[in-house]
Every structure is written in C-alpha cells, then in structure tokens.
Amino acid sequence: MKKRVVSVLLLVFIVSMSSFAMHKFYMAIYQINYAPEKKMLQITARIFVDDIDKALEKKYGKKLFLGTNKETPESIELLKKYLAENFSLKVNGQSKTMNFLSKEIDGDVLVCYISIKDISKINTIEIYNSVLVDCFAVQQNIVNVTAFNIKKSFLFSETSTKQVLKY
C-alpha cells in the first residue's frame, strides 16, 4: 500500500513538472513606476520570449530569434513596432510617446525597458495592453502601477484591454 501511494505521488509530481515545462499558461508582467523627480514613467515588461517570437512571426511572417545570436536590428525594430501597436499609455488624456531603451533575456523571459519623459503631473493614466492576445486568446497581462506611493494592479486579457487610473 505504501509503495502504491509513493508511486502515485511520484507520478503526480512528474506530470505536474512536465506541464510547467510545456508552458501552458500565457502571462506577461508589466511594471510602471512614476518617478516624479525625473518627471518620468519607467516601464519594465517581462514577456516569455517564445510567446513574443511566435506572435511576431505570425504578424510579420518572419522568425526573429529574439535574444539569440541570429537576432538582427530588423528584429528589434519589429519588436518595437509590435509593442507600440499593442501597448500604449495616455496621461491626462494625452497619448504619450514611449522610448524603447533596451531589452535583455532573463532565462526564458524577454525583459524590455521603456520610458515616457516629461510627465510633471498625473491626474489619470489610461493603459491599453493587447500584447500577445492576437496570438493567444488566453493571454493575460498583469500591469502593476506605482505612483505617489500607491500601488495598483490590473489584469488585461482578450476581453479587457483598457484600464483608466485616477489620482
């Protein structure tokens, strides 16, 4: 009996670990911080690199190899274009230009660093986030916003791509 319980538990463990390896969940995390002393919004996006590669290949018909030695300057430009089309902010009702600063690979995650300058006052922030929902219907994007020592979190999905924060 004891061997049977151990065998079942081992089987459950192996199946659960293999399901993580298959990456069956689709999630990205965004952090937006307001730095009033710099008059800037600082944005970090953490997206699974294989997911963004698939989405970009589907949209542009090219394999981009982000984060590998096969990556090209065109790959980065298409990434920037895709992010600009699918992730945007309005501050106080005004669309703001995002400055793509850099990116890096952290394990299997693409980390993008973005800034928005010349933000001296915030009454509202409108966030639009449809990154990857065109490729994965179950994609969920979590956006954490920290401003004025207040942290707010939002969940974006195929059915909810826009949120407005009021301060």
Side-chain angles (χ1 to χ4, degrees):
M1 179 69 177
K2 189 174 183 179
K3 284 184 180 183
R4 182 172 241 209
V5 170
V6 170
S7 297
V8 169
L9 289 175
L10 184 60
L11 181 62
V12 168
F13 176 75
I14 291 170
V15 169
S16 68
M17 291 308 289
S18 67
S19 67
F20 285 117
M22 294 189 314
H23 177 56
K24 290 193 179 206
F25 64 98
Y26 296 94
M27 185 175 293
I29 299 175
Y30 301 75
Q31 180 65 48
I32 301 171
N33 294 325
Y34 178 54
E37 69 283 355
K38 296 180 181 180
K39 297 182 180 181
M40 177 187 302
L41 287 171
Q42 301 166 324
I43 304 160
T44 304
R46 300 181 63 81
I47 307 165
F48 283 109
V49 71
D50 59 332
D51 293 345
I52 192 77
D53 267 337
K54 285 176 190 170
L56 294 172
E57 182 177 2
K58 180 180 177 183
K59 180 159 181 84
Y60 301 114
K62 299 178 181 184
K63 187 129 177 79
L64 301 183
F65 303 103
L66 292 171
T68 71
N69 58 359
K70 294 180 183 180
E71 177 184 278
T72 65
E74 180 190 20
S75 300
I76 301 304
E77 290 306 312
L78 291 175
L79 171 64
K80 290 178 188 180
K81 180 179 177 182
Y82 180 84
L83 289 175
E85 291 172 358
N86 292 281
F87 182 74
S88 61
L89 296 177
K90 288 183 180 179
V91 178
N92 304 328
Q94 300 289 317
S95 293
K96 295 297 179 180
T97 302
M98 294 198 188
N99 305 304
F100 186 94
L101 303 173
S102 66
K103 58 108 184 116
E104 66 182 342
I105 299 294
D106 182 11
D108 56 355
V109 174
L110 175 70
V111 183
C112 299
Y113 301 99
I114 302 164
S115 70
I116 299 176
K117 297 180 181 179
D118 301 322
I119 308 293
S120 57
K121 183 179 177 184
I122 297 177
N123 294 322
T124 62
I125 300 175
E126 182 179 313
I127 305 167
Y128 173 75
N129 190 335
S130 65
V131 175
L132 299 180
V133 298
D134 54 342
C135 193
F136 307 105
V138 295
Q139 174 70 28
Q140 294 183 327
N141 296 316
I142 297 172
V143 177
N144 300 308
V145 181
T146 303
F148 311 110
N149 295 318
I150 300 168
K151 183 177 179 180
K152 297 183 179 184
S153 297
F154 300 93
L155 180 64
F156 294 80
S157 66
E158 184 178 42
T159 59
S160 175
T161 58
K162 191 181 290 187
Q163 295 283 343
V164 178
L165 289 84
K166 294 180 182 180
Y167 291 97

